[in-house]
Coordinates of all heavy atoms in Angstrom, one line a residue:
M177 N 8.5 18.2 20.0 CA 8.4 19.7 19.9 C 9.5 20.2 19.1 O 10.4 19.5 18.7 CB 8.4 20.3 21.4 CG 7.1 19.9 22.1 SD 6.8 20.8 23.6 CE 6.4 22.4 23.0
S178 N 9.4 21.5 18.8 CA 10.4 22.1 17.9 C 11.6 22.7 18.6 O 12.5 23.1 17.9 CB 9.7 23.2 17.0 OG 9.2 24.2 17.8
S179 N 11.5 22.9 19.9 CA 12.5 23.7 20.6 C 13.7 22.9 21.0 O 13.7 21.6 21.1 CB 11.8 24.2 21.9 OG 10.9 23.3 22.5
A180 N 14.8 23.6 21.1 CA 16.1 23.0 21.5 C 16.0 22.2 22.8 O 15.5 22.8 23.8 CB 17.2 24.1 21.5
G181 N 16.6 21.0 22.8 CA 16.6 20.3 24.0 C 15.3 19.6 24.5 O 15.2 19.2 25.6
M182 N 14.3 19.6 23.6 CA 13.0 19.1 24.0 C 13.1 17.6 24.4 O 14.0 16.9 23.8 CB 12.0 19.4 22.9 CG 12.2 18.7 21.6 SD 11.4 17.1 21.5 CE 12.0 16.5 19.9
G223 N 7.6 25.6 14.1 CA 9.0 25.7 14.0 C 9.4 25.7 12.5 O 10.3 25.0 12.1
S229 N 16.9 31.0 11.6 CA 17.1 29.7 12.0 C 16.6 29.4 13.4 O 16.4 28.2 13.8 CB 18.6 29.3 12.0 OG 19.3 30.2 12.9
G230 N 16.2 30.4 14.1 CA 15.6 30.2 15.4 C 15.4 31.6 16.1 O 15.5 32.6 15.5
D231 N 15.0 31.5 17.4 CA 14.9 32.8 18.2 C 15.8 32.7 19.4 O 16.6 31.7 19.6 CB 13.4 33.1 18.5 CG 12.8 32.1 19.5 OD1 13.6 31.3 20.1 OD2 11.6 32.1 19.7
A232 N 15.7 33.6 20.3 CA 16.6 33.7 21.5 C 16.2 32.8 22.6 O 16.9 32.6 23.6 CB 16.7 35.1 22.0
L233 N 15.0 32.1 22.4 CA 14.4 31.3 23.5 C 14.3 29.8 23.1 O 13.4 29.1 23.7 CB 13.1 31.9 24.0 CG 13.1 33.3 24.5 CD1 11.7 33.9 24.8 CD2 13.9 33.3 25.9
G234 N 15.1 29.4 22.2 CA 15.1 28.0 21.9 C 14.3 27.5 20.7 O 14.4 26.3 20.3
Q235 N 13.5 28.4 20.1 CA 12.8 27.9 18.9 C 13.8 27.6 17.8 O 14.8 28.3 17.6 CB 11.8 29.0 18.4 CG 11.0 28.7 17.2 CD 10.1 27.6 17.3 OE1 10.4 26.4 17.6 NE2 8.8 27.9 17.2
Q236 N 13.5 26.6 17.0 CA 14.3 26.2 15.9 C 13.5 26.1 14.6 O 12.4 25.5 14.7 CB 15.0 24.8 16.2 CG 15.7 24.7 17.5 CD 16.2 23.4 17.8 OE1 17.4 23.1 17.8 NE2 15.3 22.4 18.0
Y237 N 13.9 26.7 13.5 CA 13.1 26.7 12.3 C 13.7 25.8 11.3 O 14.9 25.7 11.1 CB 13.0 28.1 11.7 CG 12.2 29.1 12.6 CD1 12.8 30.2 13.2 CD2 10.9 28.9 12.8 CE1 12.1 31.1 14.0 CE2 10.1 29.8 13.6 CZ 10.8 30.8 14.2 OH 10.0 31.7 15.0
R256 N 5.8 34.0 13.5 CA 6.5 35.2 13.3 C 7.1 35.4 11.9 O 7.5 36.5 11.5 CB 7.6 35.3 14.4 CG 6.9 35.7 15.7 CD 7.9 35.4 16.9 NE 8.1 34.0 17.1 CZ 9.0 33.5 18.0 NH1 9.7 34.3 18.7 NH2 9.1 32.2 18.1

Side-chain angles (χ1 to χ4, degrees):
M177 293 194 72
S178 62
S179 40
M182 63 93 184
S229 61
D231 68 11
L233 297 172
Q235 177 67 295
Q236 306 175 113
Y237 292 114
R256 288 164 289 175

